[in-house]
Amino acid sequence: MEWSIQEIARRAGTTSRTLRHYGDLGLLVPSRIGRNGYRYYDQDALVRLQRILLLRELGLSLPAIKEVLAGQRDTAVALRAHLRLLEQEQARIGRQIASVRTTLHKTQEGMELMADEVFDGFDHTAHEREVTERWGRDAYEEGDRWWRSLGDGEKKAFQDEHEAIARDWGRAAEAGLAADGPKAQELARRHCAWLSSAKKPSRSYVIGLGEMYVADPRFGKNYDRYGDGTAAFVRDALTVYAQHRLSD
């Protein structure tokens, strides 16, 4: 069975123009093109489009999605990974909704708030497994101790600084600056200074972190929400900075 480009666009909630753009990028090639020039898509193309849309929802840029799809040959394995991410995100958002409801109720009733209730669903330990696998258990525990030692104001300042840096990365990428140019390298210095709040970062750590920004949509969306391709730009600039300015 196959569907025309208009049918797929309507059912996927997108446009024929978008699907043609995906085709031009090599992301979603039609299964055949009719004599009338219309594009048609089979079941495999539908599954691939679902994966593209899922990765877009998670904040990945189109170039990053192309890299991910090229590296994931087993569709079933990839879909199971998508499903786990969506279920984790669903659970996290559910906890946040319950947390905000509790805060609203207790605030309206003049009841005492509990910190664990207020911040449920905002847990920084959500990436414990990734950090442990990439940099070891000691690295995670050291970072965890540092984070828990901060006061609420210090935690907010740390997060606000990252938000400001991420916005500036987006502006730099949109302006088409060179990753090895002076402005991008100054941003890379700021980024590494922000990282050093917890511990002075090594060359391999920063390069690995940059790669993770592109490979993992949960991290990449922090940058790509300021413009497609921003995470890849951050990775490239950090790699240059780390190679020339940091040591292991």
Side-chain angles (χ1 to χ4, degrees):
M1 187 174 182
E2 62 181 13
W3 297 263
S4 69
I5 190 171
Q6 293 88 353
E7 290 176 311
I8 295 302
R10 184 178 67 255
R11 298 186 185 197
T14 185
T15 65
S16 297
R17 181 179 179 182
T18 297
L19 296 181
R20 286 193 294 271
H21 181 54
Y22 289 170
D24 294 341
L25 293 176
L27 271 174
L28 185 70
V29 178
S31 51
R32 75 176 179 91
I33 298 179
R35 293 181 180 178
N36 54 7
Y38 286 1
R39 303 182 184 202
Y40 294 89
Y41 301 85
D42 60 14
Q43 182 171 301
D44 289 341
L46 258 64
V47 173
R48 187 174 176 87
L49 177 58
Q50 183 189 58
R51 294 170 65 190
I52 293 170
L53 296 177
L54 285 169
L55 290 168
R56 287 294 282 165
E57 285 288 329
L58 291 169
L60 240 64
S61 67
L62 294 180
I65 290 173
K66 189 173 182 179
E67 288 185 24
V68 170
L69 293 180
Q72 294 181 338
R73 302 297 183 184
D74 190 319
T75 301
V77 170
L79 288 174
R80 279 194 289 269
H82 286 313
L83 184 59
R84 283 196 302 271
L85 288 175
L86 291 169
E87 289 172 342
Q88 289 170 3
E89 186 68 4
Q90 180 186 46
R92 185 184 66 81
I93 292 175
R95 289 168 58 200
Q96 287 186 344
I97 290 172
S99 172
V100 173
R101 281 178 176 162
T102 298
T103 301
L104 177 62
H105 171 70
K106 289 195 171 184
T107 300
Q108 290 177 329
E109 298 296 324
M111 302 167 66
E112 183 178 357
L113 291 171
M114 303 294 291
D116 288 344
E117 294 175 336
V118 174
F119 298 114
D120 188 30
F122 300 86
D123 188 2
H124 75 285
T125 62
H127 303 300
E128 175 180 355
R129 181 176 60 82
E130 288 84 355
V131 173
T132 301
E133 288 180 355
R134 286 177 178 269
W135 295 291
R137 186 67 191 175
D138 290 344
Y140 169 76
E141 290 179 350
E142 182 176 354
D144 184 60
R145 284 193 299 271
W146 169 79
W147 179 256
R148 293 182 185 279
S149 73
L150 299 181
D152 290 343
E154 292 172 312
K155 289 178 179 177
K156 185 177 185 305
F158 182 77
Q159 292 166 332
D160 288 347
E161 174 63 12
H162 177 257
E163 191 68 20
I165 292 171
R167 281 197 301 269
D168 288 344
W169 278 124
R171 295 189 186 105
E174 184 179 14
L177 299 182
D180 59 353
K183 291 186 178 179
Q185 287 303 291
E186 171 57 21
L187 264 177
R189 184 202 63 77
R190 281 178 58 197
H191 196 115
C192 289
W194 172 75
L195 290 171
S196 67
S197 299
K199 180 183 179 181
K200 184 178 179 180
S202 66
R203 178 190 299 145
S204 59
Y205 174 81
V206 171
I207 291 175
L209 197 64
E211 292 293 343
M212 190 165 65
Y213 290 159
V214 174
D216 192 322
R218 291 170 296 173
F219 294 91
K221 67 181 180 182
N222 291 323
Y223 304 99
D224 282 336
R225 62 195 173 102
Y226 290 109
D228 285 347
T230 300
F233 179 69
V234 175
R235 176 201 59 193
D236 294 345
L238 287 179
T239 298
V240 172
Y241 184 87
Q243 289 175 338
H244 291 86
R245 302 281 182 162
L246 302 178
S247 59
D248 280 331

